[in-house]
Amino acid sequence: MSSQAQNHEFQEWWNKQRGFLDKPDSTAFLTVEIRNPTSDPTVDKGHTRSARQLSWLWLLKFQQLATSLAWLTNGSVSLLRTANRRIATNKTDSPSDSSASSRRLYRIIKLFLFLVILLLCFELVAYFKGWHFSPPSVESAEAAVERVYAKWLEIRASYLAPPLQSLTNVCIILFLIQSVDRVVLMLGCFWIKFWKLRPVAAVEYDGSESVEDYPMVLVQIPMCNEREVYQQSIAACCVQDWPKERMLIQVLDDSDELDAQLLIKAEVQKWQQRGVHILYRHRLIRTGYKAGNLKSAMSCDYVKDYEFVAIFDADFQPGPDFLKKTIPHFKGKDDLALVQTRWAFVNKDENLLTRLQNINLSFHFEVEQQVNGVFINFFGFNGTAGVWRIKALEECGGWLERTTVEDMDIAVRAHLCGWKFIYLNDVKCLCELPESYEAYKKQQHRWHSGPMQLFRLCFVDTLRAKVSFGKKANLIFLFFLLRKLILPFYSFTLFCIILPLSMFLPEAELPAWVVCYIPGLMSILNILPAPRSFPFIVPYLLFENTMSVTKFNAMISGLFQLGSSYEWVVTKKLGRSSEADLVAFAERESDPLVETTNLHRSCSESGLDVLNKIETTKKTGKKKRNSLYRKELALALILLTASVRSLLSAQGIHFYFLLFQGISFLVVGLDLIGEQVS
């Protein structure tokens, strides 16, 4: 029965299938139609649309290429016009470049330029003659030119390349030592960050203390012809959250311009009327520059009543709680002489020059100052944004006028007397960076010539000092020799002299890792404290090599007591941070010490009267304009000439480095990197 039921079910299924197949249209699903793809109109339409899109794509690429070419052409034309205009104005170099040492260096660079151009012409003739691929010998040479070239190859290999290779090896060793120093400093900084090491104050001032618990503090603001920034620095010091009877502000004006004197004096009178203890001091004879100004101020009889002195340059704006964050660190530390704070820059994004300066100074404060402060309690005083114990200043001899780096001088002498320093990385003081290359170059010349003056003067005192051998070694070999002398020496010699010469003397080899890889790694380490500046890592590397000529010239001037090493030029600032911004900051961060309605005025009525009186004087003042820098332009031609020679030898890394470094020197020589004055 079961088998019959199964057969019946199978029969019904089979009948259904036969009925479906017997339908007239049932064969439609079995029919397969094969057509030629080209006969399908939809496919033709799709191919046509793709071709049209491809045409538009190529047109778009061509338009982008044309736009890029037009941009490059306009940029080149603008560059040529700017260069022509600046050459026509015939203003070359700054006063520091007019010194005898600078002129001598420029003559040497010109001679070097003539030599490399002559060698390039010689090598071009040899290249087109095929002598690069099969060098001739003196015996087989037929033509006179061929014999000369063969003799040149012998002289080059036997007499010129060996001493150049020896100098190269010395510079490479110095370069590696300096690189190791950078790595050690970075490891020290990572250690501080990992373990969260920072100075801790023994007490804190929260406002509940009596007035007598606050130490007597003297605040000094040295300035000279700085009419753009005097208001903001004076206002920032006057609104300090410190009992006014326990603080005295000295405005030390060394201005030799009458209008600047009147403006500063009017500003001081304004704050005196508001109850602030502030004095105006002006020297008739400006001897000793900033050191002489500070020395004169410290000689006042009332200074003996004060325990600490805070120093701020004219463009610095300490926060209202600056004294409350720094003075407590002296409590219970009788051997502490200095508390240094970090600089913060209000104009670090103003132009390419300020961005590159920010990279350098961020590394200096975040790494160098912090590591030295934590591990050895010594570093160079930055000249401003710091608080000194007056007793320490007096014990080590006070301010001396013997160098242009009086801040480093006083720090070294205090260190040799056994005093300790503290650096506060989390306390920042606003200031400005120089925005023009001329101002920055003058500043760097003073910063690199002064340490060499000081090294000559204090070398014997360092050896005789009653401090440990480790401190003496650190001061002589690391602080002075490695970071102040060796760095500018090898940087200029290696990348501006040896590298282009090695293109014409190929027997003296300069490895690619010295030219590119290690400098690139060091640039990455330098830029870590300012991570937002990573897009500028290549311009930073090139610009540091470009500045080596200025630093080398300054180092030689200071080391051999040449005339320009004693030149002091005030770094001009533009006053980017307005007093209105400062007042708003003061109102947010501290209790008001003066009436808010009075603070909102950018200057007093007497100041406005003075401004009206001197308006005509300012109109007839000296106009600013960009300069041409001869040494940088000559070095640009040297490096570009050497890049052509490296191209003949198919040296890829050397060619690109020389090309871009030459362009960097050209941009700086035409004064196109900083503030542009139309």
Side-chain angles (χ1 to χ4, degrees):
M1 292 294 295
S2 62
S3 62
Q4 291 180 357
Q6 290 178 358
N7 291 336
H8 179 72
E9 291 176 359
F10 176 80
Q11 189 66 36
E12 287 182 349
W13 175 82
W14 177 249
N15 290 335
K16 288 180 181 181
Q17 297 299 324
R18 287 186 61 187
F20 179 77
L21 293 173
D22 290 339
K23 291 181 181 180
D25 57 346
S26 63
T27 59
F29 78 98
L30 297 175
T31 304
V32 178
E33 182 179 1
I34 301 176
R35 295 184 179 182
N36 189 346
T38 58
S39 63
D40 192 347
T42 60
V43 176
D44 288 341
K45 184 177 180 181
H47 270 270
T48 305
R49 183 169 59 251
S50 298
R52 186 180 297 113
Q53 289 176 350
L54 190 61
S55 300
W56 281 108
L57 180 62
W58 281 107
L59 285 174
L60 180 61
K61 288 183 177 296
F62 179 77
Q63 182 183 8
Q64 292 176 345
L65 179 62
T67 303
S68 300
L69 289 175
W71 181 81
L72 289 174
T73 303
N74 291 335
S76 301
V77 171
S78 177
L79 179 64
L80 291 174
R81 288 178 177 174
T82 302
N84 184 53
R85 182 168 60 251
R86 292 181 184 176
I87 292 172
T89 57
N90 198 28
K91 184 190 177 186
T92 57
D93 297 346
S94 59
S96 61
D97 287 336
S98 302
S99 62
S101 62
S102 182
R103 289 195 297 268
R104 281 192 291 268
L105 180 60
Y106 177 60
R107 285 196 291 267
I108 295 173
I109 293 175
K110 280 200 303 182
L111 180 62
F112 188 33
L113 174 60
F114 174 77
L115 176 63
V116 296
I117 292 176
L118 183 63
L119 290 176
L120 178 62
C121 296
F122 202 24
E123 294 293 341
L124 286 173
V125 173
Y127 180 81
F128 288 112
K129 290 287 186 180
W131 298 336
H132 277 189
F133 308 101
S134 57
S137 62
V138 178
E139 294 78 11
S140 62
E142 297 179 358
V145 178
E146 190 174 2
R147 284 194 297 272
V148 171
Y149 185 74
K151 193 64 177 176
W152 159 249
L153 293 181
E154 291 185 1
I155 296 173
R156 190 175 75 182
S158 303
Y159 301 103
L160 299 180
L164 181 63
Q165 186 65 59
S166 300
L167 180 61
T168 301
N169 295 337
V170 170
C171 288
I172 290 176
I173 292 173
L174 296 177
F175 173 54
L176 292 177
I177 293 174
Q178 198 271 337
S179 300
V180 170
D181 177 59
R182 282 294 163 99
V183 173
V184 171
L185 286 173
M186 284 301 303
L187 292 176
C189 185
F190 289 146
W191 183 268
I192 292 171
K193 296 293 183 183
F194 181 78
W195 292 106
K196 298 181 180 179
L197 304 177
R198 55 187 295 269
V200 178
V203 297
E204 290 185 4
Y205 295 109
D206 55 6
S208 60
E209 303 84 3
S210 63
V211 174
E212 288 73 18
D213 293 333
Y214 289 83
M216 297 288 285
V217 179
L218 181 67
V219 179
Q220 295 179 333
I221 314 175
M223 58 181 63
C224 178
N225 298 328
E226 294 177 277
R227 63 167 61 89
E228 294 84 3
V229 293
Y230 72 94
Q231 277 187 321
Q232 56 202 38
S233 60
I234 293 176
C237 293
C238 288
V239 299
Q240 283 295 306
D241 188 9
W242 199 261
K244 59 182 181 180
E245 58 268 27
R246 310 292 289 180
M247 179 180 69
L248 174 65
I249 301 173
Q250 288 180 318
V251 178
L252 312 177
D253 182 23
D254 255 6
S255 302
D256 55 6
E257 299 175 1
L258 180 60
D259 54 350
Q261 296 176 26
L262 295 175
L263 285 171
I264 297 170
K265 188 180 296 184
E267 184 70 13
V268 170
Q269 291 174 354
K270 178 183 72 174
W271 287 101
Q272 286 175 341
Q273 294 171 2
R274 296 175 181 177
V276 178
H277 291 181
I278 182 171
L279 297 176
Y280 174 84
R281 283 179 54 86
H282 176 72
R283 294 192 303 162
L284 296 178
I285 302 176
R286 186 191 172 205
T287 58
Y289 304 111
K290 182 180 176 181
N293 198 0
L294 294 172
K295 181 179 180 180
S296 174
M298 294 298 293
S299 64
C300 297
D301 293 336
Y302 53 79
V303 172
K304 65 179 182 296
D305 299 328
Y306 294 84
E307 187 176 357
F308 305 104
V309 55
I311 303 172
F312 303 100
D313 284 349
D315 60 305
F316 278 72
Q317 307 156 48
D321 56 353
F322 180 89
L323 294 179
K324 282 192 172 182
K325 288 182 176 180
T326 54
I327 299 295
H329 287 274
F330 289 96
K331 187 71 173 180
K333 301 173 183 176
D334 295 335
D335 59 347
L336 181 61
L338 168 67
V339 174
Q340 173 71 58
T341 64
R342 181 169 179 167
W343 299 359
F345 310 106
V346 297
N347 61 336
K348 62 182 180 181
D349 298 324
E350 188 65 28
N351 55 44
L352 179 59
L353 179 61
T354 58
R355 291 177 186 272
L356 300 180
Q357 292 179 70
N358 179 58
I359 296 173
N360 253 342
L361 291 171
S362 295
F363 180 86
H364 170 68
F365 285 105
E366 184 83 19
V367 179
E368 292 179 338
Q369 298 291 77
Q370 186 170 211
V371 169
N372 290 326
V374 169
F375 291 106
I376 62 176
N377 296 118
F378 168 70
F379 46 81
F381 175 45
N382 294 115
T384 178
V387 182
W388 277 91
R389 189 188 298 271
I390 295 179
K391 180 182 177 182
L393 290 177
E394 294 172 347
E395 279 193 6
C396 61
W399 300 102
L400 299 181
E401 308 164 6
R402 56 182 182 172
T403 71
T404 58
V405 283
E406 74 295 326
D407 44 8
M408 186 181 294
D409 187 1
I410 193 75
V412 168
R413 285 185 283 117
H415 178 60
L416 294 178
C417 290
W419 291 94
K420 295 182 179 180
F421 303 165
I422 282 181
Y423 172 73
L424 303 180
N425 192 56
D426 55 345
V427 180
K428 299 181 180 180
C429 189
L430 293 177
C431 62
E432 284 190 32
L433 293 166
E435 297 181 11
S436 69
Y437 180 68
E438 181 179 7
Y440 178 65
K441 188 174 183 178
K442 293 175 182 177
Q443 180 194 70
Q444 292 301 304
H445 187 276
R446 177 165 54 87
W447 285 4
H448 286 82
S449 64
M452 290 298 97
Q453 302 172 24
L454 182 60
F455 177 65
R456 287 186 302 97
L457 295 171
C458 71
F459 178 73
V460 176
D461 294 336
T462 303
L463 296 177
R464 294 174 178 174
K466 296 179 180 180
V467 295
S468 65
F469 175 79
K471 290 184 177 181
K472 293 180 181 179
N474 171 74
L475 191 61
I476 294 175
F477 294 107
L478 291 180
F479 187 77
F480 279 116
L481 290 181
L482 182 60
R483 297 168 188 166
K484 302 298 189 294
L485 189 148
I486 291 177
L487 178 58
F489 170 77
Y490 88 75
S491 181
F492 174 74
T493 306
L494 195 61
F495 297 109
C496 298
I497 303 297
I498 294 177
L499 179 58
L501 264 183
S502 65
M503 298 298 102
F504 298 97
L505 304 175
E507 293 82 2
E509 183 182 0
L510 186 60
W513 57 269
V514 176
V515 176
C516 181
Y517 303 132
I518 299 298
L521 179 61
M522 291 300 104
S523 297
I524 293 175
L525 292 180
N526 285 2
I527 215 168
L528 284 178
R532 290 182 55 194
S533 302
F534 261 100
F536 303 95
I537 186 169
V538 174
Y540 170 73
L541 171 62
L542 298 174
F543 182 68
E544 281 301 290
N545 292 334
T546 305
M547 285 303 300
S548 65
V549 60
T550 298
K551 297 175 181 179
F552 177 81
N553 181 43
M555 181 268 292
I556 294 297
S557 300
L559 190 61
F560 296 103
Q561 293 182 273
L562 302 178
S564 62
S565 62
Y566 292 95
E567 180 188 21
W568 178 287
V569 181
V570 177
T571 305
K572 287 296 182 182
K573 307 296 174 59
L574 301 178
R576 289 291 180 186
S577 182
S578 65
E579 187 178 317
D581 297 334
L582 180 65
V583 170
F585 178 76
E587 291 176 352
R588 290 195 308 268
E589 300 284 337
S590 68
D591 296 329
L593 301 180
V594 291
E595 292 184 7
T596 305
T597 55
N598 290 335
L599 276 174
H600 274 295
R601 292 181 295 178
S602 63
C603 62
S604 65
E605 291 77 3
S606 58
L608 290 174
D609 294 338
V610 175
L611 281 173
N612 292 329
K613 292 178 182 179
I614 65 174
E615 185 177 2
T616 56
T617 306
K618 294 179 69 175
K619 286 182 179 179
T620 58
K622 190 176 181 180
K623 292 184 178 180
K624 293 169 58 179
R625 57 182 178 181
N626 294 98
S627 305
L628 291 177
Y629 298 96
R630 300 177 299 175
K631 291 192 295 292
E632 285 81 355
L633 291 175
L635 285 168
L637 295 178
I638 290 172
L639 294 172
L640 293 175
T641 303
S643 70
V644 176
R645 175 63 182 88
S646 68
L647 186 62
L648 298 179
S649 303
Q651 294 175 312
I653 292 179
H654 294 75
F655 166 73
Y656 287 113
F657 184 86
L658 286 166
L659 176 64
F660 289 113
Q661 190 64 70
I663 293 174
S664 175
F665 268 100
L666 184 64
V667 169
V668 172
L670 293 174
D671 200 6
L672 296 173
I673 190 172
E675 179 190 19
Q676 301 300 301
V677 181
S678 57

